[in-house]
Amino acid sequence: MFARWISPGSGRLTLLLWLLTVSVTLGSASELKVRVRLADGQITDELLEADSERDSITVEFKQGDGTLITFVADFKQDVKIFRALILGELERGQSQYQALCFITRLNHNEIIPSESMARLRQKNPQAIRTAEEKRSTEMLSMNVAVNLTRTWQLSAHIHNMCSVAREAVYTREADVKHWLDRGMDSSMFEPQAVEVPGLQSCGTVKDLWQPCSCSYNLRLEWYPCLLKYCRNRDVSGRGSPYKCGIKSCSKGYQFTYSVPHKQLCLWEEEN
């Protein structure tokens, strides 16, 4: 399995990005746009969409280097999906975009429910948001490749999100075990070598065509992670809780996976 490059011949990039966005957000979704400060100090416009009918949330933004990050939380299936469309280095023989997709289990209380997200409004759309809580980076060994032709069992969102990545769709062995216990088809998954003797980090490999272990880092800089509750008190002094806002979080992820050659992981040279 290898990272997918989107070639110039695949159509205009603006059309591609528009089609990708449409494929992710089809359905009866409510939309919220917020201005977010990234870790490098730059400001980006972040799109948050909640689809109550499909019980899902989408977060999408562009990083300072031009990478388009899309995150989907599928509450029906307890699955979360990360997609990165990374600008290529044309002067080094790469195409315009490289696509990566990572799929893991969605745990409880990672993000607010879709029906709560759908009700969110902001008083000042021009305000620049920074997260109230910065959560630690999660290290994920993505040692299983995913066959897209069978992912409808796992989540209806995966094919729309990850079809552009094709052979660069990964998950974890621990998540696969959980899904197999739930009756998923094992032919959907193909184990990959990540932590094997002799497989070097792409950052230390000199030969661009040598296999290596690649790491990709991303951070969701601002998303509603928890609901806040306040308490009303009646004349007797008794209180009843009610939802009175959200808590925002920032969380980083490091995905490690194998690539057939370093040319598919040039960002490690910068690290």
Side-chain angles (χ1 to χ4, degrees):
M1 309 300 282
F2 52 90
R4 166 73 170 171
W5 283 101
I6 303 170
S7 66
S10 62
R12 296 178 65 89
L13 289 174
T14 51
L15 176 60
L16 169 67
L17 295 178
W18 179 80
L19 288 172
L20 288 171
T21 302
V22 169
S23 70
V24 171
T25 59
L26 284 176
S28 53
S30 63
E31 180 180 293
L32 182 69
K33 292 182 180 179
V34 297
R35 303 182 72 202
V36 176
R37 188 181 301 279
L38 300 174
D40 60 6
Q42 297 191 54
I43 308 301
T44 190
D45 291 325
E46 182 175 285
L47 176 68
L48 299 100
E49 292 189 336
D51 190 330
S52 300
E53 184 179 315
R54 301 178 73 185
D55 199 9
S56 65
I57 287 173
T58 301
V59 179
E60 187 167 81
F61 63 95
K62 189 173 285 189
Q63 296 181 160
D65 63 359
T67 298
L68 182 68
I69 300 295
T70 308
F71 166 79
V72 169
D74 180 350
F75 294 97
K76 281 187 178 179
Q77 296 295 104
D78 292 330
V79 169
K80 59 178 184 274
I81 311 160
F82 301 85
R83 184 185 66 198
L85 296 181
I86 307 161
L87 285 171
E89 298 185 37
L90 301 181
E91 69 281 2
R92 301 188 66 178
Q94 294 182 336
S95 298
Q96 290 177 311
Y97 276 87
Q98 181 179 359
L100 300 172
C101 234
F102 304 105
I103 305 166
T104 66
R105 288 176 62 189
L106 176 67
N107 297 314
H108 294 295
N109 298 323
E110 282 193 65
I111 190 167
I112 66 172
S114 60
E115 64 270 18
S116 298
M117 181 79 84
R119 298 191 190 101
L120 286 186
R121 301 292 183 270
Q122 54 180 337
K123 296 178 180 178
N124 182 7
Q126 298 306 312
I128 298 171
R129 311 290 176 181
T130 55
E132 298 170 66
E133 179 185 336
K134 187 172 182 178
R135 295 182 170 178
S136 60
T137 298
E138 188 173 354
M139 318 293 280
L140 301 162
S141 178
M142 310 303 284
N143 50 7
V144 178
V146 179
N147 182 345
L148 279 179
T149 61
R150 298 180 181 276
T151 54
W152 57 268
Q153 305 173 60
L154 192 55
S155 170
H157 298 272
I158 295 174
H159 191 270
N160 287 340
M161 277 277 286
C162 301
S163 58
V164 70
R166 295 189 181 178
E167 296 90 356
V169 185
Y170 304 96
T171 188
R172 300 185 299 172
E173 187 177 352
D175 292 328
V176 170
K177 184 180 184 304
H178 170 76
W179 292 324
L180 292 180
D181 289 343
R182 291 177 55 189
M184 298 295 170
D185 188 346
S186 62
S187 64
M188 191 191 322
F189 308 108
E190 180 182 332
Q192 299 287 287
V194 176
E195 299 173 0
V196 297
L199 188 65
Q200 296 176 257
S201 166
C202 292
T204 63
V205 168
K206 302 300 181 185
D207 182 357
L208 288 179
W209 304 106
Q210 180 176 329
C212 53
S213 176
C214 182
S215 290
Y216 185 74
N217 296 277
L218 66 82
R219 174 168 286 276
L220 300 180
E221 287 290 355
W222 191 95
Y223 66 96
C225 53
L226 290 171
L227 295 172
K228 290 182 179 178
Y229 288 86
C230 299
R231 187 174 291 274
N232 274 331
R233 294 198 176 277
D234 55 26
V235 291
S236 65
R238 295 178 180 176
S240 57
Y242 65 95
K243 298 173 187 176
C244 57
I246 58 103
K247 180 178 182 179
S248 59
C249 290
S250 168
K251 183 172 176 61
Y253 300 85
Q254 183 182 86
F255 303 98
T256 302
Y257 57 100
S258 62
V259 292
H261 47 82
K262 180 182 175 175
Q263 180 79 352
L264 297 171
C265 189
L266 292 182
W267 53 81
E268 286 224 0
E269 292 183 348
E270 301 170 4
N271 298 330

